[in-house]
Amino acid sequence: GAVVSQHPSRVICKSGTSVKIECRSLDFQATTMFWYRQFPKQSLMLMATSNEGSKATYEQGVEKDKFLINHASLTLSTLTVTSAHPEDSSFYICSARLPGAASLEAFFGQGTRLTVV
Amino acid sequence: AQTVTQSQPEMSVQEAETVTLSCTYDTSESDYYLFWYKQPPSRQMILVIRQEAYKQQNATENRFSVNFQKAAKSFSLKISDSQLGDAAMYFCAYRGGANSKLTFGKGITLSVRP
């Protein structure tokens, strides 16, 4: 199957700083990638849909100025948590689908555990 | 809006036994797809099985099978011959035909007793 690589797997940052998380499709081009947030023992909450070459579409309640998404190429999307605070500590997961309307399966990155101290 | 409901937060099964995880969904669309994802302690999401709504036949993948009841909007996952490695969180997910977003249920934590 297709591989989605997410980096870093763990990051600790100080409150007030920014942190960038990368999501790469290693063996396919992904015109659309998705960013999720997951709290312990809870479900995945979609934060935004990242579209290559255009602005991301954010879900209701997600601060677009805080969670900056850039999808500059067909294989890379980045999520930057700006001015991070302890409440931003969470597990962030990206996913991508193979191009084409016939593609059904979403492939997920390994996730990034963000801890803001 | 589409919703996915997993009402059981936890289940436990004896190794080698069979367990069924329930899932219901609500949609007004006629064309959609349903999925079961597994999230082990590593937290890597793994696709277990998928079902296209237009297919009447229930999907099967080795020890995993689904009971898809379209009229009842029910999509349960049956795990046969449960193994210790099946212990994980399982998520039921919905994707509309015209919308590429996945909507997840709350998930169920499955434990397997040796």
Side-chain angles (χ1 to χ4, degrees):
Chain A
V3 177
V4 175
S5 178
Q6 194 171 335
H7 179 81
S9 58
R10 290 176 178 264
V11 58
I12 300 173
C13 70
K14 290 185 177 181
S15 187
T17 62
S18 297
V19 60
K20 180 184 287 187
I21 302 169
E22 293 186 345
C23 180
R24 294 181 183 273
S25 55
L26 296 186
D27 48 3
F28 67 100
Q29 294 182 330
T31 54
T32 304
M33 291 186 176
F34 304 89
W35 287 96
Y36 298 86
R37 184 174 181 175
Q38 185 182 30
F39 291 105
K41 298 288 187 181
Q42 294 189 24
S43 187
L44 282 70
M45 182 190 76
L46 180 65
M47 298 175 65
T49 301
S50 169
N51 302 295
E52 188 269 336
S54 64
K55 290 184 178 180
T57 303
Y58 289 83
E59 295 298 302
Q60 192 172 9
V62 177
E63 299 177 62
K64 57 184 67 178
D65 293 332
K66 180 165 191 62
F67 298 100
L68 300 179
I69 291 173
N70 184 281
H71 194 156
S73 78
L74 286 171
T75 59
L76 174 64
S77 176
T78 60
L79 168 67
T80 301
V81 183
T82 63
S83 185
H85 290 284
E87 57 265 30
D88 298 325
S89 298
S90 189
F91 192 68
Y92 294 87
I93 308 175
C94 71
S95 78
R97 280 177 48 221
L98 293 168
S103 173
L104 297 180
E105 183 178 351
F107 299 93
F108 288 82
Q110 309 95 312
T112 297
R113 183 182 302 279
L114 170 64
T115 304
V116 184
V117 297
Chain B
Q2 293 78 23
T3 58
V4 178
T5 302
Q6 294 178 255
S7 56
Q8 308 154 302
E10 296 179 346
M11 284 196 76
S12 180
V13 63
Q14 188 75 37
E15 192 176 6
E17 296 294 309
T18 296
V19 64
T20 298
L21 311 182
S22 64
C23 172
T24 59
Y25 59 94
D26 189 26
T27 184
S28 58
E29 297 178 301
S30 58
D31 181 26
Y32 54 88
Y33 309 91
L34 297 164
F35 306 85
W36 277 98
Y37 280 92
K38 171 184 178 181
Q39 188 180 41
S42 68
R43 302 192 80 168
Q44 172 73 56
M45 295 288 285
I46 302 166
L47 177 66
V48 175
I49 200 166
R50 67 171 182 238
Q51 174 82 42
E52 291 90 335
Y54 64 84
K55 290 187 177 179
Q56 292 186 333
Q57 188 171 8
N58 288 326
T60 298
E61 288 287 341
N62 301 315
R63 298 183 295 108
F64 300 88
S65 62
V66 298
N67 183 1
F68 175 45
Q69 301 290 326
K70 191 172 184 178
K73 296 192 173 93
S74 171
F75 183 60
S76 60
L77 173 69
K78 185 171 82 171
I79 306 175
S80 303
D81 185 25
S82 297
Q83 300 176 0
L84 296 178
D86 294 334
M89 202 159 181
Y90 287 82
F91 293 97
C92 179
Y94 169 101
R95 185 197 142 204
N99 187 330
S100 59
K101 294 194 295 186
L102 276 174
T103 299
F104 288 92
K106 287 187 175 181
I108 179 172
T109 299
L110 177 68
S111 58
V112 181
R113 304 186 302 274

